[in-house]
Structures are given as structure tokens and as C-alpha cells.
Amino acid sequence: MSMINFEPAALVLTIFCLIYSLITKRKQYTFSFESFKSIMLNRHFVFITLLISVILSAATSVFSVYLQSIATAELVFWQYFFHEIYYIFHDALSTAFALYIMNVTSASAGRGRRFFLIFLIPFFVSEILVFINIFSHIVFYMDDEFVYHRGPVLPVLYVIGLLYLILAFVYFFRYKKAISHADSRAIGILMLLSAAGVIIQALRSEIAVELFAESLTLLGMMIMLEERGGYTDAVTGALNREALISTTRRLIGTNQSFNIVLVKLTNMDLFTRLFDGREMDNLMMDVAAWLTSISSEETLYSYRSENFAIIYQRDPENRSTEAADTILERFGKEWKSGEATLKLDVAVSIVRIPIDISTTEDLIEMLTLGDYKKGSGSRLVPYDEILASRHDREIEQALRDAVDNKKLRVWYQPIWSVEKQRTIAAEALLRIDSEMLRQISPEVYIPIAEQTGIIRDIGLFVFEDVCRLLQSGHLQKLGLSYIELNLSVYQFMYDDLVELFENIRKKYSIPVESLNLEITESASTSDAPIVEQTMKALRDLGYTFSLDDFGTGYSNLKELISSTYTNVKIDKSLLWKADHNDNISSLLEGLIRLIRSLDYNVVQEGVETVSQLERTAASGGNLIQGYYFSRPLPENDFVSYLENEAKKAFEAKKAVEA
Ligand code: C2E
Ligand code: MG
Ligand code: MG
């Protein structure tokens, strides 16, 4: 019986694939061997294992055939040796194949160490059988003529191999929807190809075609899956950010008009706490599969986790609006994930190219945005709103730059005492010496600093700068008792706040009475226990507090009877409204009297006119802050202001005495 041996061809082909895969040195070939699980989940590692298994099976098989032809008693050892190696790697082949299919379809995502150990049991059994064949000759043996024979246990190896192939098919059909149509078609064809090889060789053992079919399969995988692997999202199988960028670059480069529908899941953090990784991955796959189904003509991109994009080139305006409507309608309903029924929220936006965005660079930047205001429920987010979040991003950038490059300044606004008829305190207010932020109110950028954590550095800077200003004692000699600093509730979130404040205060030897901390009314009513604890710690150290912006929130009487504060600062808006509204005017008057009767100082902010001053004073308000006396001033101007005031008072006193 003459042999038709395709194995040398299989060997050459797979060596080529291995060399190609390794020299392209794609990022994904940097393996991390952190854990057993991470190795099992690394599809590229599994792919390389597949190649090496085919190469070694083919090489040893070719050698064995050669040895058979020149067989002598001395060579029997080598005959056994090569057959052993052949079976070791041939067993690995079907196992790695099943694993590869599981990784490509993400069927393995979220599985644990135990799953993989169980998965590998049949493989270990077949490897043990091959190993003990050295003594037992149950898998194969050489007869007296040095001719190779199949042993009685060999079918077990085939059954195990078949088991893995069946597993690969099962996972493929079960998780097919998680991968793109193109990928699933490619995998389907390749699986049929290698199955054909196995069947032909099983039926006609003289045609050694199995390894060749497998090497063709690997070549196909390399071209169709591995090459594209860098462009797909591991979880959903949708094309990834790189793919989206390269496609749009091509479209923009060829002056095409198109729309991109962006779909961002906005309430996923709610569920990440409830579900494990695998359930979340399944949910993402379901969402991706549904999004693929509504636009079968288009490709789905997942440019960030929980963020999808679809490009509409044909009739873009109508079709993208239609898609946005369909998506919003679907997300108005529930999603089933395993046992759970979830209500997923999405923000859907339509970006028109080249109307909204005309360069790839702008598009890339836009993709990084998208932490635009989270509303509850699903909604259409107009492109303008994405742009607004870009503005926030620019402010954040400018804030970071200001912190790094020492552009923070502290200005001071005098606080005037009705009783003493002079300035006795001041509020420290942040100013930023940058082109952009000079034009923007702290009321706009302070919240951004709070959300991004930059407030921590800002808060410490202001605290230190105030201490530095007070260190010489000059201001105190001019009659200044204390300086008020604004403290954001976000600063409390760092548990070293008290320690840092105390270190700075001691460094400049500032008595704690010279400082007063302003807390806004809304912050003071926050439920966070850390706020209460930290305030208590500071109070125990002797710090005093002002309740800022009183009258803007749900003015809380609890705060007024808690004796946490020494000063209550009434918001300027209430004062200004009182100018035109008698009811508010009476309310304000009563409020000031009430607060005074509870022994607090009342600081009225925003006093701009003499009548506002008189009304406040008449109601018993004892401290005044506002443009009527002075706007916030840079440090030097503020010192001059105090010096002037002291000089005038001195002259007035002299005039009275004279
Ligand atoms: P705030 O703490 O209520 O500060 C008072 C604000 O009212 C200041 O605005 C001040 O310039 C303004 N103001 C005072 N009197 C008048 C007046 O008569 N007329 C008018 N039109 N405005 C007056 P500013 O400096 O723009 O600060 C706004 C807010 O930004 C502050 O409100 C405070 O909440 C926040 N902020 C400022 N600096 C800091 C800081 O260093 N840290 C923190 N956490 N927040 C700060
Ligand atoms: Mg304030
Ligand atoms: Mg205020």
C-alpha cells in the first residue's frame, strides 16, 4: 500500500506561520505568565501553542516514517522516542484547538482556575497514557521487524481528541453570536476543514492528510482571526477603538460624509457590584449582539468598555436617526441576564462628519469624552452636550496645569464688623493666573476641581498660602482677627486632611483661632460619616467653622442648633432678592434676628449698596462682606487696604481727640 504523505508540507507551512507570527511581534504576543488562568485565557499564547504542536507532531511523524524505512535494532529507541513526542503534541493539538475556539468566542471569559483544571483532565489522562506507553506498549509498539503498530488503548486517545473537537463545536455554536459574522464564518469553515482532514485520515490511513488540514486551518486562523485579533474587542468581539479610528481616518481622508451613532451604557456601575465578571461579559455580549442585529449592513465597534459605535455611510441622516430611535426604544425596556432582569440606561448621540467633526484627531479626542452628565434613564445626548463635556475637560486640563505650574493665587475679600466699624476678618478666595481660567468664575471650575480630585491640591495650597500670609503677624497688628477659608466636602474624603492642615499650621506657627473654615450648607448636610468625624476632629483641635451660603439649599434648622458653627454666612442671592420683594425682605430680617439670638455671628455676603448695609445692620447682622467695602483683592492690595483703613481710623481718632 503506497502512502500519500502530506506531513512535510504541513511542517513547512506551520514553521512559516510560526516565524511570521513571532516576527510581526504584535503587542498581543507579549505574554504575561502571571497566573495559570491568564495563560489559559490568552488566545495568542494558545495560538502559538497550536502552531508548535502541529510543527512537532509533523516533524516527529516525518522522522518516524524515515526511521521506519531504515529501521535497525539500534534505532528502535529513536523510533519509540519520536512516536512518543508525536503523541504528546498531537494530544495537545485538539485541546489547544478547543481552548482557542473558547477564547475567540469569549466562551472562556470569566471562567476560573477550577474550570480550566477540569477542562484539562482528559488531556492529562491522554498524556499519562502516552507516557506509560514507554513501559506498557498499550498505545503503540514496534514488532520484531521494527514495524509500528497501534496498541489497544490508542482509540482512547482518539476519543479524547474527538471530545475536545466536539467541545469546540459546542462552544462555537453556543457563543457564535458574540463574534462578528465575518469571524464566525471564518471559524466555521476552518473547523470543517480540519474535521475533514481527521475524517479522511481515519477512513483512509494511507492518506496522511490530517496534520496538513490542521496546518491549513492555522494558516487561515492567522490570516483571518489573528491578524484581525488586534482589532477586536476581547469581550464582545466587536471591532475595537483602533479599528474605528482607522476606518474613520480612511473615510475622512477620502472626504466622505457619514454619521456615527455612539451608544454609551451609563448605569453599568450599578450592576458591576451585583454581578461577577462572567455575567457582565455575557450581558455585554447580548447588548453587542442586539446592536449588531439592528444594523446588519454596518459593523459594530466597541471603542471602550460599555461604549459602542456604528458608522452609517449610506443615507446617513435618516438611517442614523432611525437607529438612535430604535436603540432608545429598546433600552426603554428591560434586559434579561441570567436570572436577573435589568434596566440598562444609554446615552445615544449622533455625530455628523464633517459637520460636527472634520478631522480624525478631533474624533479621537471626542471618543475620550463622554463622561457627560449622567441623567437617569436612556436619552439622546445632543452633540452640543458632548462638546460641553469637552469644555469641562479643557478646564480640568487648565486646572492641572495651574497646580503643576504654580498659577494658583489667593485673593482676599474684607469682612467688616458693624460693631467695630472696621475690617476684622477676610475670606480667602481662589484665583488662577491662567489665560483661560481668569475668564471663568470659581463657581464653574471649583465643581470640576471637586469631581476630578484636584480640589485636594488646591485646598492645601490655599491653606498654606493663608498661613504664610499670617505668619509675620503684620495683619493681626492691623486689626485682622482671622481669615476664612472655603473647605470643600470633597477634601474630607482624604483621611489625612487633619494631619496635613496641622502640619502646615505648625510649620508657620499660626494659632488655630486665626483660621475659620467655611463649609457650604449643602455639604454640611451630606450624610457621609467622614464629614462629621473630620469636622469633630478639627473642632476638638480648636478650629471654628462658618456655615456658608445659608439660605440657598434646604436651610436646615438642625445645623443651626448643632452648635457646630460660630458664623452663619447668608447667601447673597437672598439679600438681593429682598431688595425687590417685601416678603423675602421680612423673612431675611427675621432670619438674621433668629440666628443672632442663637448667638451666632451673621455674615451677610454680597452687600453692594448702602441700603443693603443699613438693612442688614438694622436686623442685627454684625458682619458684612461685599463689594460695598471691597471686591476680593490680591494679597498686596489687601494689605494696603488694611493699612489705609488703619491709617484713616488713626487720623479720625486724632481728629476727635483734637
Ligand atoms: P463663596 O464662598 O460664597 O464666596 C463668596 C463669593 O461671592 C465670592 O465669589 C465673592 O467674590 C462673591 N462676592 C462677595 N461679595 C460680593 C458682592 O458684593 N457682589 C458680588 N457680585 N459678588 C460678591 P468667587 O470668588 O467668585 O467664588 C465663588 C465660589 O467659589 C465661592 O463662593 C466658593 O464657594 C468657591 N471658592 C472660591 N475659592 C475657593 C477655595 O479656595 N476653595 C473652595 N473649596 N471653594 C472656593
Ligand atoms: Mg465662602
Ligand atoms: Mg458664600
Side-chain angles (χ1 to χ4, degrees):
M1 182 169 62
S2 71
M3 282 270 292
I4 308 175
N5 192 349
F6 287 94
E7 282 168 355
L11 185 61
V12 172
L13 201 57
T14 37
I15 288 177
F16 160 77
C17 290
L18 182 67
I19 292 172
Y20 180 82
S21 293
L22 293 178
I23 58 170
T24 47
K25 279 208 197 92
R26 268 171 285 121
K27 186 163 82 241
Q28 57 265 36
Y29 285 107
T30 46
F31 304 123
S32 88
F33 292 101
E34 277 156 30
S35 68
F36 165 66
K37 203 178 104 184
S38 72
I39 297 172
M40 299 306 278
L41 283 170
N42 186 326
R43 70 182 255 196
H44 306 287
F45 172 77
V46 177
F47 182 72
I48 297 288
T49 308
L50 272 172
L51 285 174
I52 292 173
S53 303
V54 173
I55 288 171
L56 289 175
S57 310
T60 47
S61 180
V62 167
F63 261 107
S64 304
V65 170
Y66 170 71
L67 286 179
Q68 182 89 71
S69 67
I70 57 161
T72 62
E74 294 88 69
L75 289 175
V76 170
F77 168 78
W78 291 108
Q79 276 190 294
Y80 272 103
F81 178 77
F82 283 116
H83 276 107
E84 284 285 329
I85 305 276
Y86 170 83
Y87 280 112
I88 286 173
F89 285 97
H90 196 258
D91 287 347
L93 199 54
S94 50
T95 317
F97 185 72
L99 196 56
Y100 185 79
I101 296 296
M102 285 164 63
N103 283 345
V104 170
T105 55
S106 303
S108 54
R111 303 276 192 185
R113 188 190 158 82
R114 234 184 71 187
F115 171 86
F116 290 112
L117 284 175
I118 295 171
F119 169 82
L120 289 177
I121 287 175
F123 166 69
F124 289 134
V125 168
S126 59
E127 294 296 48
I128 290 167
L129 290 177
V130 172
F131 188 72
I132 59 175
N133 186 64
I134 300 172
F135 326 102
S136 63
H137 296 186
I138 49 173
V139 177
F140 65 89
Y141 61 92
M142 302 296 152
D143 65 14
D144 298 342
E145 310 280 293
F146 318 118
V147 176
Y148 165 90
H149 288 280
R150 297 175 169 199
V153 172
L154 186 69
V156 176
L157 299 197
Y158 278 104
V159 168
I160 290 174
L162 194 67
L163 204 73
Y164 282 114
L165 287 183
I166 292 171
L167 209 61
F169 270 99
V170 168
Y171 275 116
F172 171 63
F173 282 107
R174 222 175 116 194
Y175 290 90
K176 201 164 63 138
K177 64 171 197 261
I179 52 179
S180 69
H181 291 310
D183 279 2
S184 72
R185 215 174 309 132
I187 295 174
I189 291 168
L190 294 173
M191 281 170 66
L192 287 179
L193 177 65
S194 52
V198 175
I199 293 167
I200 292 173
Q201 189 160 343
L203 297 176
R204 303 277 301 271
S205 62
E206 73 277 15
I207 308 176
V209 75
E210 182 197 325
L211 282 174
F212 183 61
E214 272 149 13
S215 64
L216 282 178
T217 302
L218 291 186
L219 179 70
M221 283 175 173
M222 189 177 85
I223 297 166
M224 295 193 265
L225 301 173
E226 285 298 289
E227 280 292 289
R228 271 164 36 97
Y231 287 112
T232 52
D233 174 56
V235 175
T236 58
L239 289 179
N240 65 11
R241 184 171 175 275
E242 279 68 39
L244 177 62
I245 290 169
S246 81
T247 307
T248 47
R249 196 185 292 284
R250 179 171 55 76
L251 295 177
I252 291 173
T254 49
N255 294 325
Q256 314 224 27
S257 309
F258 58 98
N259 286 3
I260 305 180
V261 173
L262 299 174
V263 182
K264 181 190 171 68
L265 295 163
T266 54
N267 64 343
M268 289 304 284
D269 36 350
L270 222 67
F271 306 124
T272 30
R273 264 174 265 132
L274 298 175
F275 298 109
D276 66 18
R278 185 171 170 72
E279 284 169 315
M280 289 298 282
D281 287 350
N282 280 337
L283 185 61
M284 280 302 107
M285 280 187 234
D286 287 346
V287 171
W290 183 82
L291 287 170
T292 311
S293 75
I294 61 154
S295 48
S296 48
E297 219 179 288
E298 277 73 32
T299 314
L300 180 72
Y301 297 86
S302 176
Y303 62 93
R304 215 161 79 173
S305 75
E306 295 152 27
N307 286 255
F308 297 94
I310 308 171
I311 298 177
Y312 290 90
Q313 272 180 274
R314 185 176 65 74
D315 189 12
E317 199 50 43
N318 287 327
R319 295 182 61 241
S320 61
T321 333
E322 209 176 285
D325 289 345
T326 314
I327 293 167
L328 284 172
E329 197 198 309
R330 175 65 188 88
F331 281 85
K333 295 181 212 140
E334 283 156 342
W335 290 82
K336 276 224 169 300
S337 171
E339 304 287 279
T341 307
L342 306 174
K343 179 73 182 49
L344 301 180
D345 288 344
V346 280
V348 181
S349 310
I350 301 175
V351 182
R352 295 166 177 84
I353 291 144
I355 300 164
D356 296 332
I357 280 183
S358 57
T359 69
T360 315
E361 281 57 46
D362 286 349
L363 181 89
I364 293 172
E365 203 211 313
M366 191 211 55
L367 295 180
T368 67
L369 299 172
D371 293 323
Y372 32 88
K373 280 170 228 100
K374 290 181 182 172
S376 54
S378 296
R379 66 201 186 99
L380 191 70
V381 176
Y383 181 67
D384 291 353
E385 204 175 306
I386 307 185
L387 277 191
S389 85
R390 168 195 274 176
H391 187 60
D392 285 4
R393 195 58 81 82
E394 282 164 7
I395 291 179
E396 181 190 337
Q397 229 30 67
L399 283 170
R400 291 195 194 281
D401 169 72
V403 170
D404 293 344
N405 297 308
K406 307 207 173 349
K407 294 179 182 168
L408 303 182
R409 307 282 179 267
V410 183
W411 286 26
Y412 297 89
Q413 188 176 27
I415 296 175
W416 192 80
S417 159
V418 174
E419 190 193 329
K420 298 197 169 139
Q421 298 281 303
R422 63 173 174 84
T423 302
I424 61 144
E427 177 172 7
L429 293 160
L430 178 72
R431 292 294 180 269
I432 295 178
D433 193 11
S434 93
E435 194 85 51
M436 177 187 191
L437 295 178
R438 228 175 286 139
Q439 337 259 343
I440 299 173
S441 158
E443 282 180 34
V444 174
Y445 61 68
I446 292 284
I448 295 173
E450 290 177 334
Q451 284 152 24
T452 51
I454 306 173
I455 195 69
R456 178 180 159 85
D457 287 340
I458 289 178
L460 290 173
F461 171 82
V462 173
F463 191 88
E464 175 147 16
D465 215 48
V466 167
C467 288
R468 183 191 49 74
L469 176 66
L470 288 172
Q471 192 184 24
S472 72
H474 182 51
L475 298 187
Q476 291 86 328
K477 284 193 198 107
L478 293 170
L480 195 89
S481 306
Y482 61 91
I483 290 181
E484 301 191 349
L485 302 101
N486 292 285
L487 197 56
S488 154
V489 69
Y490 291 84
Q491 287 172 261
F492 288 113
M493 301 304 160
Y494 303 92
D495 50 16
D496 54 359
L497 179 85
V498 177
E499 192 190 325
L500 292 172
F501 273 12
E502 281 298 271
N503 289 346
I504 297 172
R505 194 176 66 77
K506 285 180 186 144
K507 178 173 149 198
Y508 292 93
S509 330
I510 305 300
V512 71
E513 298 77 36
S514 303
L515 303 169
N516 174 284
L517 303 174
E518 294 188 4
I519 314 274
T520 58
E521 198 195 349
S522 54
S524 67
T525 51
S526 92
D527 297 328
I530 180 128
V531 176
E532 213 166 298
Q533 283 161 19
T534 313
M535 280 180 77
K536 183 171 184 316
L538 287 166
R539 255 202 340 267
D540 290 347
L541 287 163
Y543 286 85
T544 56
F545 288 91
S546 293
L547 184 59
D548 202 357
D549 300 344
F550 190 79
T552 46
Y554 300 97
S555 298
N556 200 327
L557 295 182
K558 186 181 119 213
E559 296 299 330
L560 285 185
I561 50 173
S562 70
S563 74
T564 307
Y565 301 93
T566 50
N567 299 356
V568 176
K569 301 191 77 171
I570 299 180
D571 197 67
K572 46 189 181 286
S573 61
L574 206 58
L575 175 74
W576 296 344
K577 279 183 204 149
D579 278 349
H580 320 284
N581 185 316
D582 288 345
N583 284 343
I584 296 182
S585 180
S586 316
L587 175 82
L588 180 60
E589 200 190 306
L591 196 61
I592 293 176
R593 279 187 209 292
L594 172 80
I595 299 170
R596 286 294 288 146
S597 74
L598 293 169
D599 254 4
Y600 294 101
N601 294 311
V602 166
V603 185
Q604 179 60 66
E605 292 179 337
V607 173
E608 293 185 344
T609 63
V610 73
S611 74
Q612 288 169 343
L613 171 64
E614 282 166 356
R615 257 192 296 131
T616 309
S619 318
N622 58 331
L623 294 167
I624 309 291
Q625 178 181 353
Y627 290 2
Y628 178 75
F629 289 104
S630 171
R631 289 173 178 256
L633 298 168
E635 182 179 316
N636 288 340
D637 295 353
F638 174 62
V639 175
S640 307
Y641 177 91
L642 288 182
E643 285 167 348
N644 260 333
E645 202 188 61
K647 208 169 102 193
K648 272 191 207 145
F650 181 70
E651 279 162 6
K653 201 173 149 202
K654 245 180 32 189
V656 170
E657 280 168 7

